[in-house]
């Protein structure tokens, strides 16, 4: 009987031991399962890029967008194979980055996006080339020095229908600073000038940011560059055709006064403010090119300086009697100064005035008997009031 009774506790102890082991193993298994579940809930951040990774002909008319799910961004960089970078900004949650400008056309971009606490992810795409393009040819030339009347004049190879977009992409700035405003003379011409003539010694910078700007439907600009030029001394020449004289003022002082001849009563000279836009030591002048038939054809006109697109010049004259200069107006509309054949005589007025002049110098004509020249006829926008000039801006 004892033996039988003493066996019962033994069984109970084993059973108890066995039960304790099972509970421990169950707890461990539950912990492992919970850890696995927790790990399963923590997802890796996933980055998406628009345009999509690998795109070969992506649009360049929309900004680049980079988004992350299951995370937030630490950094995003977008670089082009041309060395350029696209700036951008994050949303408040730092789950989306958007470029502040559109990508350039014909460029391969690499996107490097690093989520917080995760490895950086990369993607790349290439933008397509525009189908049709336009450029703007500008005056004056880069690194040149011009007179105080020289505007910045841009002629486009294609008609511009979105004038505001194009004008917004062009900036003209000056040192010393002055307000500079654009004026559209046509769909292909945009000029810039301040209210008054430039100050002598001014440095001017033309900034063209026309690349991928849509000037007309499906026609995009290609230029992205800065151009600088300088303004030289201040020279203003005033031609009074009632007196047949021209007085040249340089930096506020009278430099010289020359006798001249202007247009006769049948061919009056334009009045108004004109700017020298071309300089030729010698050139051929033929009446048929300005609608005057075969009235003249002179192959070696000396010291010719253009004042209008339509054909008005101030030039030397060797074929007329010296007595007409300062006494009568006998030309076909140009302003003539006494000169000699060959353009090499430094003693005559034609040579001296040409030698003292530069592109962009101002020539004012008064008492000519003719109306004021159109502002678009040459570089002659100074004939518009400041209010009328500003009214021609698209901005």
């Amino acid at each position: 009987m004892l033996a039988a009774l003493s066996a019962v506790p033994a069984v109970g102890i084993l059973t108890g031991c066995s039960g304790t082991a099972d509970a421990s193993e169950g707890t461990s298994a539950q912990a492992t399962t919970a850890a696995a579940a927790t790990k399963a809930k923590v997802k890796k951040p996933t980055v998406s890029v628009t345009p999509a990774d690998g795109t070969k002909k992506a649009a360049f008319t929309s900004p680049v967008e980079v988004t992350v799910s299951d995370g937030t961004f630490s950094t995003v960089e977008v670089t082009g194979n041309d060395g350029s970078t696209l700036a951008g900004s994050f949303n408040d949650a730092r789950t989306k980055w958007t470029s502040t400008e559109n990508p350039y056309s014909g460029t391969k971009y690499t996107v490097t996006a690093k989520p917080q606490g995760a490895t950086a992810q990369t993607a790349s795409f290439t933008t397509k080339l525009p189908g049709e393009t336009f450029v703007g040819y500008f005056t004056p030339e880069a690194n040149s020095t011009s007179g105080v009347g020289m505007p910045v004049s841009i002629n486009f190879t294609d008609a511009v229908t979105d004038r505001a977009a194009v004008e917004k992409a062009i900036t003209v700035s000056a040192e010393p600073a002055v307000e500079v405003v654009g004026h559209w003379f046509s769909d292909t011409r945009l000029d810039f000038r301040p209210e008054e003539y430039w100050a002598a010694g001014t440095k001017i910078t033309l900034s063209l940011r026309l690349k991928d700007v849509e000037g007309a439907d499906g026609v995009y600009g290609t230029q992205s560059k800065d151009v600088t030029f300088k303004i030289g001394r201040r020279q203003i020449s005033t031609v009074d055709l009632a007196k047949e004289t021209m007085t040249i003022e340089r930096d506020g002082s009278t430099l010289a006064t020359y006798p001249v001849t202007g247009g006769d009563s049948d061919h009056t000279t334009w009045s108004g403010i004109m700017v020298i836009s071309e300089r030729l030591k010698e050139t051929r002048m033929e009446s048929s090119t300005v609608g005057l038939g075969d009235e003249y054809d002179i192959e070696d006109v000396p010291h010719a300086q253009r004042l209008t697109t339509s054909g008005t010049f101030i030039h030397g004259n060797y074929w007329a009697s010296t007595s007409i200069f300062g006494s009568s107006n006998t030309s076909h509309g140009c302003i003539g100064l006494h000169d000699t054949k060959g353009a090499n005589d430094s003693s005559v007025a034609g040579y001296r005035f040409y030698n003292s002049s530069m592109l962009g110098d101002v020539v004012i004509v008064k008492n000519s008997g003719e109306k004021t020249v159109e502002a678009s006829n040459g570089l002659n926008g100074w004939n518009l009031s400041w209010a009328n000039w500003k009214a021609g801006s698209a901005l």
Side-chain angles (χ1 to χ4, degrees), residues 15 36 42 51 70 116 139 148 190-191 202 225 233 249 272-273 288-289 291 314 318 329 331 343 366 372 382-383 390:
T15 301
V42 178
D70 301 314
Q116 293 282 358
T139 297
V148 298
L190 172 64
D191 283 18
T202 297
K225 62 191 301 184
R233 75 291 178 276
E249 292 188 359
I273 304 168
S288 62
T289 63
I314 184 166
Y318 66 79
N329 293 315
S331 80
K366 62 182 183 179
T372 301
W382 302 104
N383 292 288
K390 294 175 77 172

Side-chain angles (χ1 to χ4, degrees), residues 353-374:
F353 178 65
Y354 183 88
N355 197 50
S356 71
S357 300
M358 65 171 55
L359 293 174
D361 278 351
V362 175
V363 177
I364 301 171
V365 178
K366 62 182 183 179
N367 298 323
S368 70
E370 183 56 272
K371 62 183 180 180
T372 301
V373 65
E374 288 290 333

Side-chain angles (χ1 to χ4, degrees), residues 51-389:
D53 183 29
T55 303
K56 298 298 183 184
K57 294 183 179 181
F60 55 84
T61 54
S62 301
V64 177
E65 293 184 350
V66 187
T67 59
V68 62
S69 58
D70 301 314
T72 58
F73 279 125
S74 174
T75 59
V76 173
E77 294 182 355
V78 181
T79 57
N81 62 352
D82 59 353
S84 64
T85 59
L86 286 182
S89 60
F90 295 102
N91 63 355
D92 291 340
R94 292 187 74 88
T95 57
K96 182 178 180 179
W97 181 94
T98 305
S99 65
T100 53
E101 296 180 347
N102 296 340
Y104 285 140
S105 61
T107 305
K108 182 178 180 180
Y109 286 93
T110 299
V111 179
T112 304
K114 188 179 186 308
Q116 293 282 358
T119 303
Q121 300 179 39
T122 62
S124 64
F125 61 88
T126 302
T127 51
K128 64 182 178 181
L129 293 169
E132 295 184 56
T133 60
F134 73 92
V135 298
Y137 291 101
F138 51 84
T139 297
E141 294 184 359
N143 303 314
S144 62
T145 298
S146 302
V148 298
M150 177 63 79
V152 177
S153 184
I154 304 171
N155 287 274
F156 301 104
T157 54
D158 289 75
V160 173
T161 56
D162 194 342
R163 294 186 179 186
V166 170
E167 188 175 341
K168 186 178 179 181
I170 301 173
T171 302
V172 178
S173 57
E175 298 177 22
V178 64
E179 182 183 14
V180 183
V181 176
H183 182 97
W184 290 88
F185 284 115
S186 69
D187 289 341
T188 57
R189 179 180 171 187
L190 172 64
D191 283 18
F192 290 84
R193 52 157 270 213
E195 183 174 4
E196 306 292 341
Y197 302 138
W198 305 103
T202 297
K203 177 184 177 182
I204 300 170
T205 301
L206 166 64
S207 297
L208 296 169
R209 296 295 180 266
L210 291 170
K211 185 171 175 60
D212 300 332
V213 172
E214 191 171 20
D217 188 21
V219 184
Y220 297 89
T222 63
Q223 295 158 297
S224 183
K225 62 191 301 184
D226 291 334
V227 179
T228 61
F229 67 96
K230 294 181 180 179
I231 298 299
R233 75 291 178 276
R234 177 186 174 95
Q235 180 166 302
I236 309 292
S237 301
T238 302
V239 176
D240 186 342
L241 290 180
K243 298 179 179 178
E244 291 96 19
T245 61
M246 177 174 66
T247 301
I248 299 95
E249 292 188 359
R250 171 81 64 81
D251 295 326
S253 300
T254 300
L255 183 67
T257 298
Y258 299 123
V260 299
T261 183
D264 62 27
S265 58
D266 293 326
H267 309 92
T268 48
T269 304
W270 291 113
S271 67
I273 304 168
M274 288 170 264
V275 173
I276 296 175
S277 58
E278 184 180 21
R279 303 182 71 239
L280 304 162
K281 184 178 179 181
E282 283 188 305
T283 189
R284 180 180 181 181
M285 289 188 177
E286 190 177 2
S287 55
S288 62
T289 63
V290 291
L292 294 177
D294 58 357
E295 292 192 28
Y296 61 85
D297 184 0
I298 305 170
E299 64 179 4
D300 57 353
V301 176
H303 302 124
Q305 302 186 87
R306 182 182 292 275
L307 300 178
T308 71
T309 306
S310 60
T312 306
F313 283 79
I314 184 166
H315 62 78
N317 180 326
Y318 66 79
W319 52 91
S321 168
T322 57
S323 63
I324 69 165
F325 299 102
S327 63
S328 55
N329 293 315
T330 62
S331 80
H332 289 82
C334 289
I335 300 162
L337 299 98
H338 175 55
D339 212 324
T340 55
K341 189 177 179 67
N344 291 315
D345 185 349
S346 62
S347 69
V348 293
Y351 181 104
R352 294 201 300 270
F353 178 65
Y354 183 88
N355 197 50
S356 71
S357 300
M358 65 171 55
L359 293 174
D361 278 351
V362 175
V363 177
I364 301 171
V365 178
K366 62 182 183 179
N367 298 323
S368 70
E370 183 56 272
K371 62 183 180 180
T372 301
V373 65
E374 288 290 333
S376 59
N377 187 2
L379 302 177
N380 300 326
W382 302 104
N383 292 288
L384 292 177
S385 69
W386 187 232
N388 287 339
W389 181 269

